[in-house]
Amino acid sequence: MEDFEDFVERLREISEQGYIETHRAGNTGIGKTLEDLLGIDENNIPGPDAVGVELKSTRRDSHNLTTLFTKEPPKDERPFWGTKMVKELGYVDDKGREALKVTIRPSTPNSRGFSLDYDNTSVSVVHEEVGVCATYPLDYLQERFEEKFPALVMVLADTKKVDGREYFWYNEAYLLDGFDGDAFLRLMRDGEITLDLRMHLKESGANRNRGTAWRIMDDSRLDEAFEERIPLLGEQDASEIDSPDPSPSVPPGQETLDDV
């Protein structure tokens, strides 16, 4: 694909094919299949991947808890974090390891005593006994979001199963552009965006952290964080759709918007 117009035309060709058999079983099949059809190499490097835009795919009405990005709190804003937090506030998992893998939401503490506390400038990870474990300044989170989504193409697909195999019909796609920071913060305060801790201790005692994940409860609401929502599979000529500004400083990568 040489440019965004070529990318849109290819999306329309894929949509016209109707249901396409998955190229990989499981949740990530929707992204892998679309990657293959578009000729995008699979990798896990964050950032734009298709002619300067981040590409996300999701099953229609999946309502999965889905990853936006992973980000640890700033080093100078995490007084009770990492190994210490796992040892003192964690549990023993089914593999016999000290672990702390929980989803944290605003206001109401979860079963491990964690909650998120917001004000106008930051969001804090709070434990009912320890107090503030770490704090994320809101502009710090906004920078990460803008790095991840300078522009986003969201592709939705209907699904069906035939003889145990999943099939996708990629029949709706939008260019989301113009980040709306206030709306994103409102989603956090509304509890639509949550935080997942994903840590356990190795036999050596070292902390194995799979990345602290900011996730959205319903991926269909992600577009609320953007100012523009432009249909890509409609009647408008592809050449008339303005190309988003690319972000060449960020290397290419692609993720599915389904739960990882």
Side-chain angles (χ1 to χ4, degrees):
M1 293 176 293
E2 296 181 357
D3 53 28
F4 189 72
E5 180 182 345
D6 191 24
F7 169 69
V8 173
E9 292 288 4
R10 182 59 186 144
L11 274 180
R12 292 179 177 185
E13 291 172 3
I14 292 168
S15 179
E16 290 172 359
Q17 293 179 38
Y19 283 98
I20 299 168
E21 185 176 0
T22 186
H23 292 190
R24 174 190 290 161
N27 282 343
T28 59
I30 188 170
K32 170 62 174 171
T33 305
L34 185 58
E35 284 177 338
D36 290 349
L37 295 169
L38 289 167
I40 298 174
D41 292 333
E42 182 180 27
N43 60 68
N44 295 313
I45 303 172
D49 52 15
V51 292
V53 296
E54 180 78 6
L55 175 64
K56 295 290 184 183
S57 52
T58 183
R59 296 163 176 84
R60 189 184 310 280
D61 300 324
S62 62
H63 301 293
N64 286 337
L65 178 66
T66 58
T67 301
L68 294 172
F69 53 82
T70 59
K71 188 70 173 177
E72 300 306 305
K75 290 183 179 180
D76 59 350
E77 296 278 4
R78 48 187 189 195
F80 201 89
W81 200 253
T83 301
K84 183 178 182 180
M85 184 166 61
V86 176
K87 281 185 171 294
E88 297 192 24
L89 303 177
Y91 57 90
V92 177
D93 67 13
D94 56 8
K95 296 182 179 179
R97 306 172 302 191
E98 292 180 272
L100 187 55
K101 300 179 182 180
V102 293
T103 296
I104 308 175
R105 298 177 172 84
S107 303
T108 304
N110 62 17
S111 61
R112 304 303 306 178
F114 289 96
S115 62
L116 296 177
D117 185 30
Y118 297 92
D119 61 27
N120 292 330
T121 62
S122 64
V123 51
S124 295
V125 179
V126 178
H127 189 268
E128 57 189 0
E129 295 180 1
V130 173
V132 176
C133 298
T135 298
Y136 286 86
L138 292 181
D139 56 0
Y140 178 83
L141 288 175
Q142 181 171 336
E143 287 175 6
R144 178 66 181 109
F145 187 94
E146 289 176 337
E147 175 187 280
K148 181 69 178 178
F149 304 118
L152 171 68
V153 169
M154 179 182 289
V155 183
L156 294 88
D158 289 328
T159 67
K160 68 177 182 179
K161 284 195 175 182
V162 178
D163 296 328
R165 293 287 290 176
E166 191 171 22
Y167 287 73
F168 305 111
W169 180 13
Y170 301 97
N171 54 19
E172 192 172 356
Y174 299 94
L175 171 62
L176 305 176
D177 201 3
F179 176 74
D180 187 335
D182 290 339
F184 177 70
L185 300 181
R186 184 173 63 252
L187 285 169
M188 286 201 299
R189 293 190 177 97
D190 288 348
E192 286 295 328
I193 291 177
T194 63
L195 183 68
D196 270 21
L197 303 181
R198 306 189 296 179
M199 309 177 193
H200 70 262
L201 301 186
K202 300 179 181 180
E203 290 184 5
S204 64
N207 183 25
R208 171 71 169 91
N209 188 349
R210 294 182 55 223
T212 301
W214 289 91
R215 296 183 166 184
I216 190 163
M217 297 294 293
D218 182 352
D219 53 33
S220 68
R221 292 195 64 184
L222 178 59
D223 64 303
E224 295 180 27
F226 295 83
E227 290 180 335
E228 271 192 299
R229 187 173 184 264
I230 302 171
L232 298 180
L233 302 183
E235 297 298 324
Q236 185 179 11
D237 192 284
S239 63
E240 297 176 354
I241 299 174
D242 292 335
S243 300
D245 293 330
S247 297
S249 62
V250 185
Q254 201 261 350
E255 294 178 359
T256 177
L257 194 59
D258 280 290
D259 198 11
V260 294

